[in-house]
Amino acid sequence: MRVVEAVSVLVGLASSTAASLIQRSAGVDSCPGYDVQNPQTSGSSFTANLVLAGKACNIYGPDLQKLDLAVTYETADRIHVKITDANSVRYEVPTSVFTRPAISPFVTGATADIKFTYTSAPFTFKISRSTTSEVLFDSSAGALVFEPQYLRLKTKLPSQANIYGLGEHSDPFRLDPTNTTRTFWNRDQYGIPQGEPLYGSHPIYFEHRTTGTHGVLFMTSNGMDVNLENGSLEYNVIGGVFDLYFLAGPAPVTVAQQYATLVGLPAEVPYWTLGFHQCRYGYTDYVDVSQVVTNYSAAGIPLETMWTDIDYMYKRWTFTNDPQYFPTEKMQEIVNYLHSHDQQYILMIDPAVAHQPDQNYTAYDVGTDMGVFLKYPNGTLFQGVVWPGPTVFPDWFHPNATAFWAGQIARFFDKTTGIDVDGLWIDMNEASNFCDYPCSDPVAWAAANGDPPARPGLPPPPGTPIFQKRALDATASNSTSATPNPLNPPYAIHDSLPELSDHAIDVTVVHANGLLEYDIHNIYGTMMSFITQQGLSDRRPGLRTLVITRSTFVGAGKKVGKWLGDNLSDWDHYRWSIAGQLGMASIYQIPMVGSDICGFGGDTTETLCARWARLGAFSPFMRNHNQDNSISQEFYRWNMTTVSATKAINLRYQLLDYIYTHFHRQSVDGTPLMGPMWFHYPQDTATYPIDLQFFYGDYILVSPVTQENVTSVDIYLPKDTFYDFDTFAPVQGKGATVSLTDIDYTDIPLHIRGGGILPMRIEGAMTTKELRTKDFQLVVAPDATGAATGLLYIDDGLSVKQAAETSITFTYAKGMLEATGTFAYNVGSVKVAKVLILGVATSPKAVTVTGGTSLGFIYEPTTKVVAVNVTIPLTKTTGFSVTLK
């Protein structure tokens, strides 16, 4: 095996273009494949040489004559299969992006949960379950092809296979197994169209069967098509090597945990980040921003964090603010006001730096002096066009890149002299470039297309006061390796633009470590994210960070969160947002995820926004955000959305510790904080295609209304015990569709899955800091056996390393609720004030409490709920119990 990060090797083309075109018409399955030579087994490893088995097909270039195969049983549930060029070093994903996992020295093929087997002539391989011999991956579906700019591998699939992942995309959560092409080439995609490559690349899929679930990761950042046809899945890649990881499962959640272990556990976020966030591209000045904060307060809608888009920048130059529209002293006043009210502030930064020599532009001047901007092989700066007009782009592989970027973050966001933000937001980091290829004159292109855009009006008069209460308009009127042919590879992936370099960084650009943009395009955004997170961490040492990015790659969640990009204000995008979040949180291990609530592009409506407020409250990342040429859509703009958002955020905050606990658990072991129904009902085939219902945490089933101007929805309830969330009355699922009617536009159908215990705050609050002073209530929802379990995790909500933690396990059986665990974190006077036990057939005669005091109980026979008022401090090291007699 040869792993390269800092070296690229030119691989020459050996056959004429004419010959390749003739042979290509015969089809890729005419290629001879490879035969096995020199097989050797040593402990947990198997190696062999693969030699071309016949006449080369040269379908997209010359077939490599000899390959190296390396198979490693890395753990009992993970196999690594790698096929490389035996004679030349080729591009592989750098270790600075993907750290190779630790390998257990005690695992062999005889002890692993899955096993690798092969045939010699021609070489094909299978991955099978050790106990049942069930085949999970079978490469005999087609010829193995390995050429300089084309790699092909094909596996058999069951008919109508259940395939999930292969993102980022806006397609259904369960991909159509008969006719899907998923293309991996990160793109700035306004409107997040279905069937197109979007902002991120996650070449991992889960396949689910009634016999179990397994995962396959193809660790590549090269451009790629993955084709799904009935009975097969085919990889077509334009560079790199075969680098595959197989995850055994067999439970869906187990595969998720195994993937998290492989690519990196998600980072924990500050508690406050789970509050409600507000943004808009188009806030005209500092007065506009301050007014939004004031209006939310006046409307009684909790606002945790205010955001500002690139509007604050001077001519859209990153790391600047406009001295007239967003002067530093007024920005500092906004930050101070927010902080004094226990609220937060976040600003956007873009990767593209305005090409402004001799203009005293610090970011450009310092970056130039440090030599960190991308260059062509001849040493000239690569220039594109983004919001500032002509721009240059940081090379994240440059040895000075971290010092440069973190230095700008420290300078511009200095707590004393700059704008003291609480988090950062990254956009355009695919990287996006507005200019049509070849972009030979970026200055002229920018001028012709109006970049940077002009300000829509005059700045506020000097001394204009802010945070003044003003009347609202009630009608809501709104102001790789060095590659032979990187520009046109012989195999053309199904990209949305004619050239790989269109609206992107030129693929011929060479990074400081010798890697070609052609190979690392799909990791550019994640490299920026990692360095930005480091810069934010440096200025807030010891504290957790929030960085929200648009472009992601495998493992991004270990540092940053993600929003789903520039969606539209329509019902399709409302529906698609569910599958998008499920993919990020439950498959790709990026749990801090959400879509732009009410939609980014186009004009929302009062009813859509009201519905989306309720749905968005069950996103890990909850933010309302939209575009400058759309109507304003802050929740207070309409009466219905005001009511809906107030109800939504109040309930979200009551459940904040429930989901915070799930977030903590995912950061520890990879168990997803939200998931599709089939994660919990893997044997119920009816759940496999469902992506309009989902579980928030382990126990809350969310079933939103998904059609315009209707007050009903058909939902699926598996054969299980549920409880209506509004009334707590029991509902028996029968494995059938249920019609719900009379659902107000400000409501959303919710059910509690039997078997769960929900820790909830007794009421909501205007800020998350205030929320942490509220008492708890415990909702016990027994399953059909009368048992239930739950968790509660409490810490300071801010620190990377905790001085003290409270971690409680709740169990309920035979009428007794018990709480055990550690109670080390000082919650002050916060206590458990109420215990609700659902599904109790008859009134108990008495209720006893240990570790606290009972204040009496009420039994509601209609809903079968016992409500026990208690005083139980959360400081007892021995735990507590509540028992029905």
Side-chain angles (χ1 to χ4, degrees):
M1 295 186 294
R2 296 176 172 86
V3 179
V4 58
E5 176 168 350
V7 179
S8 298
V9 178
L10 180 65
V11 180
L13 287 172
S15 59
S16 70
T17 302
S20 293
L21 289 173
I22 293 171
Q23 291 161 341
R24 192 177 305 167
S25 63
V28 68
D29 281 319
S30 67
C31 296
Y34 292 81
D35 290 340
V36 174
Q37 290 184 355
N38 304 319
Q40 297 183 31
T41 300
S42 176
S44 62
S45 299
F46 170 80
T47 60
N49 301 127
L50 304 180
V51 296
L52 199 65
K55 181 180 179 182
C57 65
N58 301 333
I59 193 164
Y60 294 109
D63 291 335
L64 272 61
Q65 296 294 314
K66 186 177 181 181
L67 308 175
D68 284 339
L69 167 68
V71 180
T72 306
Y73 288 87
E74 294 191 338
T75 66
D77 50 33
R78 185 177 73 233
I79 295 176
H80 185 198
V81 176
K82 195 170 183 181
I83 303 174
T84 58
D85 184 348
N87 298 314
S88 298
V89 179
R90 292 172 60 90
Y91 168 78
E92 298 178 24
V93 174
T95 55
S96 56
V97 177
F98 176 65
T99 303
R100 297 290 170 168
I103 298 173
S104 171
F106 307 110
V107 179
T108 66
T111 61
D113 296 335
I114 49 177
K115 61 183 178 180
F116 170 91
T117 57
Y118 70 95
T119 57
S120 296
F123 166 72
T124 65
F125 72 93
K126 294 178 181 178
I127 304 294
S128 307
R129 296 206 183 277
S130 298
T131 54
T132 65
S133 298
E134 180 184 17
V135 176
L136 308 180
F137 191 96
D138 181 356
S139 74
S140 67
L144 175 72
V145 181
F146 203 127
E147 297 173 349
Q149 286 182 268
Y150 179 67
L151 282 68
R152 187 255 196 164
L153 181 69
K154 189 174 184 179
T155 180
K156 295 179 180 178
L157 290 177
S159 178
Q160 296 298 318
N162 301 299
I163 302 292
Y164 308 86
L166 299 175
E168 179 183 4
H169 60 77
S170 56
D171 297 336
F173 187 58
R174 177 182 180 267
L175 296 171
D176 179 358
T178 66
N179 184 26
T180 293
T181 295
R182 289 292 309 113
T183 298
F184 293 81
W185 191 256
N186 294 356
R187 285 294 187 191
D188 177 353
Q189 288 278 26
Y190 179 81
I192 56 171
Q194 289 191 321
E196 299 285 353
L198 298 183
Y199 310 104
S201 291
H202 297 273
I204 168 75
Y205 73 82
F206 288 13
E207 186 198 338
H208 178 64
R209 307 174 185 178
T210 56
T211 53
T213 311
H214 65 277
V216 181
L217 170 66
F218 191 153
M219 178 47 70
T220 182
S221 62
N222 287 96
M224 175 169 63
D225 285 336
V226 180
N227 299 325
L228 281 169
E229 298 177 351
N230 201 18
S232 69
L233 180 149
E234 180 185 57
Y235 297 103
N236 296 272
V237 200
I238 60 174
V241 300
F242 290 112
D243 192 351
L244 296 132
Y245 291 90
F246 297 91
L247 307 174
V253 169
T254 306
V255 181
Q257 294 168 336
Q258 292 162 356
Y259 184 66
T261 300
L262 173 61
V263 304
L265 292 163
E268 288 201 83
V269 294
Y271 186 89
W272 62 262
T273 64
L274 299 178
F276 167 63
H277 304 253
Q278 175 62 50
C279 188
R280 173 173 164 83
Y281 173 37
Y283 289 136
T284 56
D285 50 52
Y286 67 90
V287 177
D288 203 3
V289 172
S290 71
Q291 192 60 48
V292 172
V293 177
T294 303
N295 289 341
Y296 266 104
S297 178
I301 303 173
L303 172 65
E304 183 70 20
T305 307
M306 187 66 198
W307 296 49
T308 305
D309 209 310
I310 57 174
D311 308 285
Y312 78 91
M313 298 177 183
Y314 173 72
K315 295 185 178 180
R316 304 299 195 260
W317 298 3
T318 199
F319 296 117
T320 69
N321 56 293
D322 192 294
Q324 292 183 293
Y325 292 84
F326 293 89
T328 300
E329 64 274 13
K330 288 298 184 180
M331 297 293 278
Q332 291 173 333
E333 186 178 346
I334 288 173
V335 172
N336 291 337
Y337 178 91
L338 288 167
H339 288 174
S340 69
H341 288 78
D342 301 324
Q343 296 167 293
Q344 333 298 326
Y345 193 47
I346 290 178
L347 290 175
M348 172 183 281
I349 54 175
D350 285 344
V353 175
H355 182 255
Q356 293 291 337
D358 304 319
Q359 296 297 313
N360 295 318
Y361 175 29
T362 303
Y364 178 82
D365 293 343
V366 172
T368 300
D369 291 343
M370 297 178 78
V372 300
F373 298 128
L374 284 170
K375 300 178 179 66
Y376 285 108
N378 65 7
T380 61
L381 285 174
F382 167 74
Q383 290 188 49
V385 177
V386 195
W387 294 113
T391 56
V392 291
F393 295 81
D395 177 358
W396 305 118
F397 289 105
H398 195 283
N400 294 332
T402 299
F404 162 66
W405 200 251
Q408 295 310 300
I409 290 173
R411 173 189 65 82
F412 186 68
F413 299 113
D414 183 88
K415 291 184 177 182
T416 302
T417 60
I419 304 169
D420 184 19
V421 295
D422 300 282
L424 289 172
W425 175 26
I426 305 171
D427 194 13
M428 315 298 288
N429 57 330
E430 292 71 33
S432 178
N433 171 16
F434 297 162
C435 196
D436 296 330
Y437 182 79
C439 198
S440 54
D441 191 345
V443 174
W445 201 98
N449 289 274
D451 293 309
R455 292 281 180 181
L458 297 174
T464 300
I466 56 177
F467 299 112
Q468 304 294 305
K469 190 173 182 179
R470 301 177 185 175
L472 281 174
D473 183 346
T475 63
S477 299
N478 303 277
S479 355
T480 102
S481 46
T483 303
N485 190 5
L487 289 173
N488 295 289
Y491 176 84
I493 60 174
H494 290 69
D495 191 16
S496 54
L497 292 171
E499 304 282 349
L500 295 179
S501 298
D502 252 335
H503 294 195
I505 294 172
D506 192 317
V507 296
T508 65
V509 165
V510 179
H511 288 256
N513 58 356
L515 296 182
L516 203 62
E517 177 66 17
Y518 174 88
D519 291 311
I520 67 91
H521 167 82
N522 285 339
I523 58 178
Y524 184 90
T526 291
M527 287 294 292
M528 178 191 180
S529 297
F530 288 179
I531 290 175
T532 300
Q533 188 274 338
Q534 183 63 56
L536 187 60
S537 181
D538 288 347
R539 68 177 290 276
R540 300 168 65 90
L543 299 181
R544 299 172 190 165
T545 56
L546 178 69
V547 176
I548 296 294
T549 184
R550 191 169 73 175
S551 181
T552 57
F553 183 69
V554 173
K558 64 189 175 185
K559 298 287 186 180
V560 298
K562 150 82 180 169
W563 101 102
L564 295 179
D566 297 341
N567 63 355
L568 302 180
S569 297
D570 59 39
W571 286 87
D572 278 341
H573 286 80
Y574 168 93
R575 290 185 286 267
W576 298 352
S577 71
I578 300 172
Q581 291 173 83
L582 288 176
M584 289 293 163
S586 65
I587 305 291
Y588 315 133
Q589 290 291 327
I590 307 178
M592 191 58 175
V593 62
S595 66
D596 286 342
I597 295 172
C598 303
F600 175 76
D603 293 340
T604 194
T605 65
E606 183 174 6
T607 53
L608 173 60
C609 200
R611 290 284 191 216
W612 214 327
R614 293 309 309 256
L615 174 60
F618 293 95
S619 301
F621 172 55
M622 183 186 186
R623 186 184 68 170
N624 181 332
H625 175 54
N626 77 323
Q627 192 173 355
D628 58 343
N629 58 6
S630 304
I631 63 171
S632 293
Q633 63 184 34
E634 293 84 3
F635 287 145
Y636 54 72
R637 294 282 172 178
W638 301 275
N639 290 334
M640 185 185 294
T641 55
T642 298
V643 172
S644 183
T646 302
K647 292 165 65 173
I649 299 170
N650 182 69
L651 179 56
R652 176 183 178 86
Y653 282 17
Q654 285 186 273
L655 290 166
L656 209 64
D657 293 86
Y658 164 81
I659 205 63
Y660 184 74
T661 298
H662 281 78
F663 209 121
H664 170 72
R665 185 180 65 179
Q666 187 160 359
S667 75
V668 171
D669 68 9
T671 302
L673 57 73
M674 63 185 299
M677 293 182 71
W678 61 268
F679 267 37
H680 297 280
Y681 299 96
Q683 299 298 314
D684 187 341
T685 58
T687 65
Y688 299 172
I690 293 176
D691 59 9
L692 296 180
Q693 296 174 257
F694 62 96
F695 276 97
Y696 185 67
D698 287 343
Y699 296 110
I700 298 177
L701 178 62
V702 183
S703 307
V705 175
T706 56
Q707 299 294 327
E708 185 174 13
N709 296 327
V710 300
T711 56
S712 62
V713 63
D714 290 341
I715 70 170
Y716 180 76
L717 287 182
K719 190 175 182 180
D720 202 351
T721 299
F722 293 89
Y723 299 87
D724 182 281
F725 195 94
D726 289 335
T727 66
F728 294 138
V731 177
Q732 184 58 48
K734 299 179 180 179
T737 299
V738 177
S739 295
L740 305 179
T741 59
D742 298 323
I743 305 165
D744 190 87
Y745 286 101
T746 65
D747 290 334
I748 187 169
L750 304 172
H751 291 84
I752 305 172
R753 182 170 67 94
I757 299 174
L758 279 55
M760 297 177 61
R761 298 285 177 168
I762 205 79
E763 61 183 352
M766 290 299 290
T767 65
T768 61
K769 184 174 182 179
E770 179 190 0
L771 181 68
R772 289 171 66 88
T773 69
K774 304 294 183 179
D775 290 337
F776 282 96
Q777 63 179 349
L778 303 177
V779 179
V780 181
D783 61 17
T785 70
T789 61
L791 301 170
L792 174 61
Y793 175 78
I794 308 173
D795 61 12
D796 70 10
L798 294 170
S799 302
V800 174
K801 294 183 178 180
Q802 292 294 324
E805 299 168 302
T806 287
S807 183
I808 306 172
T809 297
F810 302 108
T811 58
Y812 179 81
K814 298 180 180 179
M816 184 170 71
L817 168 68
E818 289 188 282
T820 59
T822 58
F823 297 78
Y825 180 74
N826 182 6
V827 297
S829 61
V830 173
K831 61 185 181 297
V832 177
K834 181 179 288 189
V835 175
L836 300 172
I837 302 177
L838 315 186
V840 180
T842 59
S843 175
K845 296 178 180 179
V847 176
T848 61
V849 176
T850 62
T853 304
S854 172
L855 303 178
F857 72 92
I858 298 173
Y859 178 70
E860 175 52 61
T862 304
T863 56
K864 300 182 179 358
V865 175
V866 176
V868 187
N869 294 313
V870 296
T871 299
I872 302 176
L874 289 173
T875 55
K876 295 286 186 179
T877 57
T878 55
F880 60 86
S881 67
V882 177
T883 305
L884 304 184
K885 298 292 188 177

